[in-house]
Amino acid sequence: MNMYRIPTLISFLIIFTTILSAQTVTVLPSIKDNSMFSESGSESLGAGKLFTGQTCQGNNRRALIEFDLSGIPVDAVVTSVTLNLGAENSGNNGDGVIEVFGVTKEWGEGFSSGSGNGGPAVAPDATWTDAMFGTEFWDTPGGDFDSAVLSSRFTNENDQVITFPTSSNFVARAQAWVNDPADNHGIIIIGVETATCTAYRFGARDIGTAPELVVTWETSCDPPIEWVIDETVCEDDDFTLNGIVYDQSNPSGTQVFTAANGCDSTIIISLSFIQNSTALIEETLCPGDQITINGTLYDINNPSGIEELLNFNGCDSIVTIDLSFFPDAVGEETYAGCANDGYSVVVNGTLYDESQPSGVEIFLGASVNGCDSMVNIDLFFQAISQENITHSGCEGNGFSVVVDGITYNEMNPSGSVFLVSSNGCDSIINIDLFFAPTPNPGMPAMMGEVCNENDPILDLNSLLSGADAGGVWTETSPNPSTGLSGNLFDGTGQNPATYFFRYTVSAVNCPDEFTQVMVNVQTPLTATVTTSAVICNNNDGGNSSMFDFNSLITGGFADGVWFDEDASGVDLTNLSNVDFAGVAERSFTFTYATSVIGNCPEERYPVTILVEDCTCPSVTTNENYTGCEGDNFAVTVNGVEYNQANPTGTEMMIDQFGCDSIIIIELIFNAPAMSEATFSTCDLSTPATTTEVIANGAINGCDSIITITTVYLPNDETAIAATSCDPDDAGVMTETFTNQFGCDSIVTTTTTTLPVINTDEFLTSCDPNDVGVTTLTLTSFNTGCDSIVTITVTLMEGDNINVSAASCDPDDAGVMTETFTNQFGCDSTVTTVTEFIPLDNSVTVSDAMVVATIFGATYQWIDCDNNDAPIMGETDRFFTALVSGNYAVEIMQDGCTITSECVMVTVVNTEEAWFADQIDVLPNPTSGAIWLTFGELENVNVRIMEVTGKVVLERTNLGGGSADLFLEGPAGLYFVGVEVDGEWGWMKVVKN
């Protein structure tokens, strides 16, 4: 109640009045959420992420979420509702419409955990069949919900927050929740369930970005808002509100604030004034406790002192510190058992079992005097006798083994057999048979297409579908290429043809498998083009400005495209009549481009066209020659040498009248005639290619060159593996036949001898007459060969087992002997000695805390003044009463249950502290995050404890009016304490 709270409160009132003038936006975190899985009615995910849609295995997921709207006034009018979800990841086909519906039945959230396939449901978890696991079922599997869509959106985002928009249905549903909170059963999120791989993962309140419901609402002015500031401040303090000073001479008044919507908010001020004060801090603490006052640390090493500081009202205060300290307490938790017997114990929230058998736990404030209690944990687990039977082979090899009457083979490859050893613990035989899958070389997915000029290197793996990784590529072409390197094929420079490549996959203990693919190598389209020409730019004197571009293509591909490289401006629409009228006198370059074929690009050929003014009498002469490539013909015109390397051109000479005289040079060097032929043969020694030259054999008088390519017809080689029981049949036989191509087909048959199988079988019997060795000779059904089985029978004696038991019923005490038949059919005697062990039901009371004397049991505290009703959440050994009354504990251990006497507990109501009305915690209940407000109190110390008295969070010297805190730990009841100058105020907070 000090003065620093007043300006903050006035600011809040002004802000609140301003908010009333418009709509209020409330952001609500989820209070519970869960995921359901269509493939199982016993799987859930209450403590994990949220999932919707359908998995790639065809299983559906749906998410349930609930928000608490009770904080919105009952007279509020909802105007807009949106939903924010943290989209994290989606399946391969995750894009689609996700819809939101209103749930019509109450459902539960437990502590089930796991991955995207959920985990075992923990009551009261919701599952695909159960609204609350084991107690309440859905009317319709997958959840009961209203068919009206509240909101929907096309969703394809990942790793970001997405918003589902408002709708009239969504607003109506939220309004119903505000009007009747009992009608609020939350929402269900349903994704695409008509296609596989559409699953979506969202954050949940426990992990990731928590879901939020954003509700916009407004209220009327009825009833009017009235605030009272009734504060006690220091005698010299004052504050100003709306221009009016309130102090000791003007301690009270009333002010009215009118909002933009016409609603009034009234503030009534009533101040009282106090003098300076003194305080004494005289406490008995635990050795590890400490307090800080005015920046000075007081602990067991510095237990006393005097501090001068502002008191809780902001006035001067002298604080005298005088501390004393209690000792610690020590306890033991021991156990002796067998490995893997599942025994575990939870001490102070830590699980101790076979993987963590020992340790020391400190219970903060758990002793009867409120100090730390130390428990030493020492668990002993006798080792298990274990034997392993393993095998590694290929699928279909027929291997099997029989253990304890159970056959283990490819259909039943693993298991464990448990026997009781002499030390009373299990003896385990583990069977682990491995059958490697047959290697899969895949199937050809397509034929490869490459160009032999500047094409990217082809990855042969891309031509396969469904193949195992790690195989080896080899070329099987009749005329092998030179482009294979690993799994890459370089077609550059290769002869146009179809090439064959084989992909071989190997596996341990399995034969190799292979698949063959084809790659087609192509060459670009080419043409022969005249490289120069002359045309007039006018039609004077009978000249023609029309030019036929088609005449420039003298051979090869003739359906290409022309490009005007120098932008002469002529129209190339009709290539046979291109008009150069009006074009400037100069040389222009045009480019002819062939078409793309397969992966081969176009080829481009430049042509120079000289444009002349034909008004002058033009004299044009030609210098022509036709010969063969390599004949060394050359001619010099206007000082320029023309030959096979420079075969065409135009030379311009100026005559005595100033007119041009043009000489057009066109030398033709015919290429030799090239042709190809193929020759098929079974003889692999024949050269792959040969070349024949016929001098002057071409029509143009040049040489004719014929390239002959040899096609090698394949020889077949077949290997046959045979078996025989007769050793004389063993060996290798080779026969040669003629295949379909007329080449050799070689068949090699390798015969191996099947061995005589000597099998030893070891049996046991309870009858001494069965003991001995028997030899049988059998004929194998599969091979027809002899199989010798030696059966050795040994004597198996019965078991004599002594069992120690404990009971809380004195009638069970004594010795009982029973005879059973064990797993080998022999008599087993079990002697059970039962000892009566009474449970200790005594308790100890210290202030408001009651402690059960016995360790390691299950506890339930009850209210004796309320018909022995169980107290929700109070299941620890320690119980701290919140109100005075009579309490007892129900103790369960080793199957026994006993109840203590009711004890009287007197609670000093710390909530009567002078500053308790300034403390508040929001939200309550909470999922973990809380906002603690403490007005204008300064030097505030905060402590949060579990019901056991364990401190889970402590903050000191806080100020500023508020603090953001987080409750670490499981769901349950917590106590939040605020301390100022030695006085405490406490609140209960429930974590969902």
Side-chain angles (χ1 to χ4, degrees):
M1 292 188 293
N2 72 46
M3 69 167 187
Y4 298 108
R5 182 168 180 251
I6 297 174
T8 301
L9 181 57
I10 296 302
S11 299
F12 171 76
L13 289 175
I14 295 172
I15 292 171
F16 180 74
T17 304
T18 303
I19 291 174
L20 284 179
S21 67
Q23 293 183 328
T24 300
V25 178
T26 301
V27 180
L28 301 171
S30 59
I31 61 171
K32 64 179 180 179
D33 48 36
N34 210 329
S35 292
M36 303 184 296
F37 305 85
S38 67
E39 63 268 31
S40 174
S42 60
E43 299 293 315
S44 188
L45 198 56
K49 299 293 181 72
L50 300 178
F51 293 87
T52 65
Q54 190 174 100
T55 67
C56 294
Q57 292 74 39
N59 298 317
N60 294 332
R61 277 92 177 88
R62 293 180 178 178
L64 295 166
I65 310 173
E66 187 171 319
F67 303 90
D68 182 8
L69 278 69
S70 62
I72 298 176
V74 294
D75 63 341
V77 177
V78 178
T79 59
S80 172
V81 184
T82 58
L83 173 67
N84 296 330
L85 294 180
E88 296 183 353
N89 200 3
S90 62
N92 295 335
N93 300 325
D95 298 356
V97 176
I98 297 179
E99 297 177 313
V100 181
F101 300 89
V103 182
T104 57
K105 177 178 285 189
E106 187 60 25
W107 51 273
E109 176 197 55
F111 296 101
S112 55
S113 62
S115 63
N117 293 322
V122 179
D125 264 325
T127 71
W128 195 262
T129 57
D130 296 22
M132 294 188 180
F133 185 63
T135 60
E136 184 70 25
F137 297 95
W138 296 113
D139 294 336
T140 302
D144 298 339
F145 55 89
D146 194 304
S147 60
V149 178
L150 302 184
S151 184
S152 66
R153 75 190 300 275
F154 180 83
T155 306
N156 58 4
E157 300 91 342
N158 289 321
D159 298 321
Q160 60 183 287
V161 176
I162 64 174
T163 299
F164 287 78
T166 188
S167 71
S168 59
N169 287 343
F170 216 165
V171 169
R173 176 68 64 169
Q175 186 69 63
W177 293 340
V178 172
N179 297 342
D180 183 8
D183 187 47
N184 182 5
H185 305 302
I187 56 177
I188 186 169
I189 313 297
I190 300 180
V192 178
E193 296 181 351
T194 56
T196 59
C197 298
T198 59
Y200 237 104
R201 185 183 73 210
F202 298 96
R205 72 185 188 93
D206 303 294
I207 182 170
T209 302
E212 292 180 340
L213 193 71
V214 181
V215 182
T216 304
W217 53 275
E218 58 187 15
T219 61
S220 64
C221 301
D222 187 21
I225 300 174
E226 183 176 275
W227 294 85
V228 178
I229 300 177
D230 186 4
E231 299 292 334
T232 300
V233 298
C234 296
E235 58 184 357
D236 297 328
D237 292 332
D238 61 57
F239 78 96
T240 301
L241 176 62
N242 203 24
I244 300 176
V245 178
Y246 294 89
D247 56 15
Q248 198 165 8
S249 62
N250 182 31
S252 61
T254 300
Q255 295 195 31
V256 178
F257 292 85
T258 301
N261 62 357
C263 300
D264 290 341
S265 297
T266 303
I267 302 176
I268 301 173
I269 301 97
S270 178
L271 304 181
S272 58
F273 298 86
I274 62 172
Q275 304 298 317
N276 295 337
S277 63
T278 62
L280 172 64
I281 299 177
E282 187 175 16
E283 295 187 31
T284 302
L285 306 176
C286 297
D289 290 344
Q290 60 186 26
I291 62 173
T292 301
I293 300 176
N294 204 25
T296 302
L297 177 68
Y298 291 89
D299 56 13
I300 196 171
N301 298 315
N302 183 32
S304 61
I306 298 176
E307 296 291 337
E308 182 176 347
L309 67 164
L310 295 177
N311 66 9
F312 52 84
N313 294 299
C315 305
D316 293 337
S317 178
I318 303 299
V319 180
T320 301
I321 301 96
D322 186 12
L323 308 179
S324 57
F325 296 87
F326 287 115
D328 289 332
V330 180
E332 301 289 335
E333 176 71 29
T334 61
Y335 171 76
C338 298
N340 296 329
D341 64 2
Y343 178 82
S344 65
V345 62
V346 177
V347 181
N348 198 25
T350 301
L351 176 68
Y352 289 89
D353 54 15
E354 191 170 352
S355 62
Q356 185 175 343
S358 62
V360 177
E361 292 293 333
I362 305 296
F363 289 83
L364 300 178
S367 66
V368 293
N369 56 21
C371 295
D372 294 348
S373 177
M374 182 173 69
V375 177
N376 297 313
I377 300 93
D378 187 12
L379 313 181
F380 174 73
F381 297 89
Q382 177 69 40
I384 293 175
S385 174
Q386 182 167 303
E387 178 183 355
N388 298 319
I389 299 176
T390 61
H391 167 76
S392 294
C394 190
E395 291 179 349
N397 67 359
F399 180 84
S400 66
V401 62
V402 178
V403 179
D404 195 28
I406 300 174
T407 300
Y408 294 89
N409 50 29
E410 190 171 342
M411 300 301 294
N412 182 32
S414 62
S416 296
V417 177
F418 293 85
L419 307 175
V420 178
S421 61
S422 59
N423 60 14
C425 296
D426 290 341
S427 176
I428 302 175
I429 300 177
N430 296 315
I431 301 92
D432 187 10
L433 312 181
F434 173 74
F435 297 89
T438 303
N440 180 14
M443 296 292 293
M446 66 185 77
M447 174 184 281
E449 296 281 350
V450 298
C451 186
N452 63 2
E453 291 185 12
N454 303 320
D455 207 5
I457 295 176
L458 175 65
D459 184 354
L460 296 178
N461 291 332
S462 66
L463 305 181
L464 289 177
S465 172
D468 292 345
V472 177
W473 285 98
T474 56
E475 184 168 359
T476 58
S477 307
N479 298 313
S481 69
T482 59
L484 179 63
S485 176
N487 61 300
L488 302 178
F489 174 70
D490 187 356
T492 301
Q494 303 298 325
N495 292 325
T498 298
Y499 296 89
F500 300 87
F501 302 92
R502 178 175 293 177
Y503 181 75
T504 303
V505 182
S506 302
V508 177
N509 301 322
C510 293
D512 293 347
E513 297 287 344
F514 66 87
T515 293
Q516 187 161 278
V517 300
M518 297 184 293
V519 178
N520 185 25
V521 177
Q522 298 170 316
T523 189
L525 295 175
T526 59
T528 303
V529 180
T530 301
T531 60
S532 63
V534 178
I535 187 64
C536 294
N537 64 359
N538 58 67
N539 296 307
D540 297 339
N543 297 322
S544 175
S545 62
M546 306 302 292
F547 186 79
D548 183 4
F549 272 68
N550 294 325
S551 65
L552 297 174
I553 311 302
T554 60
F557 184 77
D559 294 325
V561 179
W562 284 94
F563 297 91
D564 187 355
E565 302 288 356
D566 293 335
S568 67
V570 297
D571 184 0
L572 296 177
T573 303
N574 185 357
L575 294 173
S576 62
N577 288 287
V578 179
D579 191 359
F580 280 80
V583 177
E585 290 184 79
R586 53 166 283 194
S587 293
F588 292 88
T589 300
F590 294 81
T591 300
Y592 175 76
T594 64
S595 297
V596 173
I597 177 171
N599 281 22
C600 291
E602 65 184 20
E603 296 284 22
R604 300 176 72 93
Y605 302 88
V607 175
T608 300
I609 296 182
L610 175 64
V611 179
E612 293 185 327
D613 180 2
C614 297
T615 302
C616 269
S618 178
V619 178
T620 300
T621 60
N622 296 308
E623 180 69 36
N624 297 326
Y625 171 78
T626 299
C628 295
E629 291 180 354
D631 63 4
N632 297 322
F633 176 82
V635 62
T636 300
V637 179
N638 199 24
V640 179
E641 182 177 1
Y642 291 87
N643 50 30
Q644 185 173 341
N646 182 30
T648 61
T650 301
E651 297 294 334
M652 183 177 295
M653 311 289 290
I654 299 176
D655 63 15
Q656 58 182 335
F657 304 105
C659 293
D660 295 341
S661 177
I662 299 172
I663 302 176
I664 298 176
I665 301 94
E666 184 172 5
L667 311 183
I668 298 175
F669 296 88
N670 291 319
M674 306 295 292
S675 62
E676 296 182 354
T678 59
F679 172 70
S680 299
T681 180
C682 300
D683 187 1
L684 298 180
S685 65
T686 305
T689 58
T690 56
T691 302
E692 297 288 339
V693 179
I694 302 175
N696 304 320
I699 296 176
N700 58 15
C702 298
D703 293 343
S704 178
I705 301 175
I706 303 175
T707 301
I708 303 173
T709 302
T710 302
V711 176
Y712 299 100
L713 298 174
N715 292 321
D716 295 336
E717 293 187 9
T718 304
I720 299 175
T723 58
S724 174
C725 301
D726 188 350
D728 295 336
D729 295 336
V732 179
M733 180 177 66
T734 301
E735 297 179 274
T736 302
F737 305 93
T738 300
N739 66 11
Q740 59 182 334
F741 305 108
C743 301
D744 289 343
S745 178
I746 301 173
V747 179
T748 302
T749 303
T750 302
T751 303
T752 58
T753 302
L754 294 175
V756 174
I757 301 175
N758 296 315
T759 303
D760 294 323
E761 293 288 340
F762 297 94
L763 305 176
T764 59
S765 174
C766 303
D767 187 350
N769 296 323
D770 295 335
V771 176
V773 179
T774 303
T775 301
L776 302 176
T777 300
L778 307 174
T779 300
S780 172
F781 177 77
N782 294 324
T783 64
C785 300
D786 290 340
S787 179
I788 299 175
V789 181
T790 301
I791 303 173
T792 303
V793 181
T794 58
L795 181 65
M796 175 59 66
E797 298 179 353
D799 300 325
N800 294 314
I801 302 173
N802 295 319
V803 179
S804 296
S807 174
C808 50
D809 187 350
D811 294 337
D812 294 336
V815 180
M816 179 177 66
T817 301
E818 297 178 279
T819 302
F820 303 94
T821 300
N822 66 8
Q823 59 182 331
F824 306 107
C826 303
D827 290 340
S828 294
T829 302
V830 179
T831 302
T832 303
V833 179
T834 303
E835 178 184 2
F836 169 61
I837 300 178
L839 294 181
D840 186 353
N841 68 338
S842 62
V843 296
T844 303
V845 180
S846 176
D847 296 329
M849 179 178 288
V850 188
V851 182
T853 302
I854 190 170
F855 279 91
T858 300
Y859 310 92
Q860 175 61 65
W861 292 90
I862 59 179
D863 187 349
C864 300
D865 298 331
N866 187 21
N867 297 321
D868 294 338
I871 303 174
M872 183 175 296
E874 299 294 347
T875 58
D876 294 303
R877 180 170 166 257
F878 307 90
F879 167 65
T880 301
L882 300 180
V883 297
S884 299
N886 293 284
Y887 300 95
V889 63
E890 187 178 75
I891 303 170
M892 290 147 281
Q893 188 177 56
D894 299 326
C896 301
T897 301
I898 191 170
T899 303
S900 71
E901 293 183 354
C902 294
V903 295
M904 178 66 186
V905 178
T906 302
V907 178
V908 177
N909 190 358
T910 58
E911 293 191 356
E912 295 298 324
W914 46 264
F915 54 84
D917 63 341
Q918 298 190 55
I919 305 172
D920 200 3
V921 173
L922 294 174
N924 188 7
T926 177
S927 59
I930 61 173
W931 183 47
L932 174 67
T933 61
F934 41 82
E936 289 300 324
L937 296 175
E938 296 293 334
N939 297 321
V940 173
N941 300 322
V942 178
R943 180 179 299 167
I944 301 179
M945 297 191 305
E946 295 179 349
V947 293
T948 62
K950 176 183 177 182
V951 177
V952 297
L953 178 66
E954 193 161 16
R955 301 275 293 275
T956 59
N957 294 327
L958 298 179
S962 65
D964 292 319
L965 307 174
F966 190 85
L967 296 180
E968 296 287 352
L973 182 65
Y974 290 79
F975 299 102
V976 178
V978 176
E979 181 264 336
V980 176
D981 296 337
E983 291 198 56
W984 287 89
W986 292 91
M987 289 140 293
K988 293 182 291 182
V989 177
V990 177
K991 180 179 180 182
N992 292 324

